[in-house]
Amino acid sequence: MPIQLTSQAYCKMLLHAAKYPHCAVNGLLVAEKTKDKKKDSHSEPVLCVDCVPLFHGTLALAPMLEVALTLIDTWCKENNYVIAGYYQANERTKDSRLNQVAEKVAARISENFSESAIVMVDSSRLTMSCFEPIVLIYDHHENKWKSREVTVDSFEDWSEAQKITSALLENRCYENLIDFDNHLDDLRNDWTNPVINKSVLDLC
Amino acid sequence: MASVSEMYDVGWEEMRDKLRKWREDNFRNSEQIVDVGEELISEHGSKLGDDIWIIYEQVMIAALDCSRDDLALTCLQELRKQFPDSHRVKRLSGMRLEALERYDEANKHYDAILQEDPTNTAARKRKISILKAQGKSTEAIRELNEYLEQFVGDQEAWHELSELYINEHDYGKAAFCLEELMMTNPHNHLYCEQYAEVKYTQGGLENLELSRKYFAQALRLNNRNMRALFGLYMSASHIAASPKVSAKVKKDNMKYASWAASQINRAYKSLKRFVKHLCVTNAINYIHFSNRI
């Protein structure tokens, strides 16, 4: 039921926010598709292994979002992933509220994945050292999005996530992060971010 | 730490030209501007001649973006010495106060400029930016509307207003702003394409048809605009799938959609590095049956 973030998912979200500090950014979280849908698997956390950065700037327009959801969904199917969540960092650092855009996209994701979550990035606490997690995680309960307490258990391995994110921020790796907007500007830009994924792997 | 000139093997002229390009294209790559500009000023300041003043301004603004108040203050002080009564420099002082979140002081600064020169557009726009930074979107929209009644030709302002409206989900008014921009810039494919996106988001058959037309127009103006191509595909597909259209409209839109799909596939295939997971054919079929957001 609750989601858990791997280091790769967490650091790419933060790199995306760091690359466009003056813009709102958003993206999708993906999890590995599990074969069983038993009732008791509800207590198992959903591990978000990766994220796909989507847009920066104006987030509230539909057409490119629909294109992105469709292409990424296809990519997920080919890699045995499922879109499990959505992240967003608002334009103003002091504002980390969940807004209409987040709700709309998450509602769409929920059609295919009932336990989807919204992750809001609190940019006001973004530091190089990443000494604390700066995400707010929301689950859908009774038609409302409720935030849950973010602890070390919200991560597959918090100290690894912290170490890797901090290192990548220091090295300005966010300059090489590709989001879907970059891909639309130039199709050669690969939104799966193989270069950053490799850097993460090297630091693990 | 290695200097920029060492790392990239460039001379001071190239650094100066790069800064000029970034200035002309209005890029906000502030960290790079700070890196290049700081070195250029400190190592080669004497060679820059009168260019140095505009570079000080550019580097100062970039420094504010990067929380480098030390560098921003240095640039500002040089500019103040050289241009003691300049409103342009006063505006930069105001921006520094904004960056330090001293909004009340910044506003006083801009009000002082406007007292001396009520037509100073830069100061008025900074005041609106402060409202935006404080999250006061309604006030920002109201002030910007008032500003545009006086300064109807300010394209940057129309574009800013369209973005403010989009963030408030007021797509009708955003479309109006983009219509103003399209009227004065009929060859700008980006405005066409954004207008089409707004119309698509507004929804409804009439808006979808308009959106398709403007995606097509954007494509005519720039046949490499991928957003326009995808947009054409999406809007045509949705129109074709609508139960409210006649058989002819359905047929026409399926033709447009399939043309767009083939162009999209061509664009992906033409990439020398054809990456398998970017295979669009399956995705295109999937979009046909997806619901709209």
Side-chain angles (χ1 to χ4, degrees):
Chain A
M1 187 60 173
I3 62 157
Q4 242 192 3
L5 300 168
T6 60
S7 306
Q8 180 160 304
Y10 185 70
C11 80
K12 279 160 75 173
M13 278 196 287
L14 265 62
L15 288 175
H16 194 200
K19 185 181 181 190
Y20 298 106
H22 57 286
C23 295
V25 299
N26 65 358
L28 300 173
L29 294 162
V30 299
E32 276 173 359
K33 201 171 185 138
T34 49
K35 292 204 184 106
D36 44 43
K37 290 261 184 142
K38 292 193 226 127
K39 223 16 179 162
D40 50 4
S41 70
H42 264 238
S43 54
E44 288 267 321
V46 174
L47 185 63
C48 290
V49 296
D50 201 358
C51 75
V52 179
L54 286 179
F55 306 110
H56 55 271
T58 310
L59 307 182
L61 292 175
M64 298 307 126
L65 180 54
E66 288 183 23
V67 172
L69 280 171
T70 311
L71 287 184
I72 291 164
D73 199 59
T74 306
W75 170 75
C76 280
K77 288 194 164 72
E78 290 171 4
N79 292 279
N80 211 33
Y81 286 150
V82 66
I83 298 177
Y86 168 82
Y87 76 84
Q88 184 173 303
N90 291 329
E91 189 177 6
R92 295 173 48 234
T93 45
K94 292 206 165 83
D95 175 18
S96 51
R97 282 166 315 167
L98 206 145
N99 62 11
Q100 219 184 88
V101 176
E103 291 193 19
K104 285 212 168 113
V105 182
R108 180 66 181 279
I109 295 171
S110 301
E111 287 172 17
N112 284 337
F113 189 79
S114 52
E115 287 130 36
S116 62
I118 297 180
V119 174
M120 294 300 294
V121 179
D122 183 358
S123 333
S124 66
R125 292 186 289 151
L126 180 55
T127 61
M128 285 294 211
S129 63
C130 303
F131 64 91
E132 55 165 1
I134 62 165
V135 288
L136 302 152
I137 302 182
Y138 293 81
D139 306 300
H140 209 204
H141 282 303
E142 297 151 21
N143 273 331
K144 277 210 271 267
W145 288 98
K146 296 216 175 87
S147 72
R148 68 166 51 242
E149 202 199 339
V150 173
T151 62
V152 161
D153 292 326
S154 309
F155 297 87
E156 191 189 26
D157 182 343
W158 166 244
S159 62
E160 182 193 68
Q162 175 185 22
K163 193 185 74 179
I164 294 178
T165 309
S166 180
L168 293 180
L169 284 173
E170 297 258 354
N171 287 324
R172 296 218 212 158
C173 291
Y174 45 81
E175 289 172 2
N176 303 320
L177 183 98
I178 306 284
D179 64 11
F180 202 78
D181 256 334
N182 301 139
H183 176 70
L184 290 172
D185 290 335
D186 183 339
L187 292 185
R188 291 167 297 184
N189 288 328
D190 188 346
W191 43 261
T192 61
N193 285 289
V195 175
I196 304 241
N197 291 345
K198 182 163 187 309
S199 309
V200 171
L201 216 55
D202 288 342
L203 286 168
C204 274
Chain B
M1 217 193 106
S3 70
V4 171
S5 48
E6 280 167 26
M7 276 205 288
Y8 299 98
D9 192 22
V10 289
W12 70 271
E13 294 106 325
E14 280 146 303
M15 288 164 75
R16 177 202 58 194
D17 294 342
K18 251 307 186 230
L19 282 178
R20 184 191 304 129
K21 180 173 192 303
W22 291 334
R23 225 170 26 239
E24 286 168 4
D25 292 341
N26 211 8
F27 282 173
R28 198 168 171 172
N29 52 338
S30 301
E31 280 188 310
Q32 280 184 305
I33 294 174
V34 162
D35 284 345
V36 173
E38 191 173 20
E39 192 176 307
L40 193 62
I41 293 171
S42 56
E43 315 266 317
H44 309 282
S46 48
K47 304 183 190 115
L48 294 169
D50 276 336
D51 271 351
I52 197 168
W53 307 114
I54 201 159
I55 290 176
Y56 270 131
E57 184 183 43
Q58 182 183 13
V59 173
M60 191 226 153
I61 295 175
L64 291 179
D65 243 359
C66 300
S67 283
R68 284 286 311 273
D69 194 47
D70 56 318
L71 178 58
L73 206 48
T74 311
C75 296
L76 187 55
Q77 281 162 345
E78 291 298 315
L79 286 166
R80 277 181 184 149
K81 263 195 304 202
Q82 181 70 9
F83 307 102
D85 293 313
S86 157
H87 278 165
R88 187 163 162 177
V89 176
K90 283 214 176 79
R91 166 197 171 233
L92 291 176
S93 295
M95 282 177 81
R96 178 175 166 265
L97 291 169
E98 283 184 61
L100 296 169
E101 293 183 81
R102 285 150 62 176
Y103 296 122
D104 291 334
E105 289 177 60
N107 262 320
K108 287 207 181 89
H109 234 80
Y110 299 132
D111 287 334
I113 297 178
L114 287 168
Q115 271 258 314
E116 290 178 25
D117 175 13
T119 67
N120 190 304
T121 55
R124 272 183 83 164
K125 289 196 274 191
R126 285 322 309 166
K127 284 177 66 87
I128 294 170
S129 304
I130 290 177
L131 290 170
K132 196 178 163 195
Q134 292 173 315
K136 298 178 177 163
S137 322
T138 325
E139 289 99 320
I141 288 176
R142 191 188 57 221
E143 293 292 318
L144 196 41
N145 267 302
E146 273 181 39
Y147 170 85
L148 280 166
E149 275 170 33
Q150 257 191 285
F151 300 98
V152 156
D154 191 332
Q155 304 189 10
E156 178 187 64
W158 280 112
H159 201 252
E160 182 65 44
L161 188 55
S162 78
E163 278 181 19
L164 287 173
Y165 277 132
I166 291 170
N167 288 333
E168 297 299 305
H169 306 285
D170 196 339
Y171 299 110
K173 299 213 177 92
F176 177 79
C177 297
L178 288 163
E179 281 163 14
E180 284 288 330
L181 287 167
M182 288 196 295
M183 261 200 313
T184 47
N185 302 272
H187 298 297
N188 186 317
H189 64 108
L190 296 171
Y191 293 150
C192 261
E193 188 264 307
Q194 261 199 312
Y195 179 75
E197 285 199 56
V198 170
K199 281 292 162 193
Y200 182 106
T201 311
Q202 256 185 304
L205 192 54
E206 227 180 273
N207 285 326
L208 268 180
E209 293 196 312
L210 256 179
S211 117
R212 192 206 65 227
K213 291 188 177 135
Y214 279 90
F215 277 128
Q217 177 63 4
L219 215 41
R220 238 174 261 131
L221 292 170
N222 180 344
N223 61 7
R224 284 157 68 197
N225 186 327
M226 277 314 286
R227 288 184 178 81
L229 193 49
F230 271 117
L232 177 59
Y233 174 79
M234 298 295 285
S235 47
S237 301
H238 280 303
I239 296 171
S242 163
K244 300 185 202 156
V245 298
S246 68
K248 177 173 192 317
V249 171
K250 197 186 191 78
K251 191 157 160 241
D252 285 343
N253 280 283
M254 284 177 73
K255 224 174 34 180
Y256 305 142
S258 98
W259 177 84
S262 68
Q263 293 298 306
I264 293 172
N265 278 317
R266 246 184 76 191
Y268 276 104
K269 288 208 167 94
S270 75
L271 300 175
K272 293 241 160 71
R273 254 178 38 238
F274 179 65
V275 190
K276 185 162 175 276
H277 68 245
L278 292 174
C279 170
V280 177
T281 340
N282 299 334
I284 299 281
N285 296 329
Y286 179 68
I287 294 179
H288 250 297
F289 305 110
S290 71
N291 296 318
R292 297 202 49 235
I293 292 190

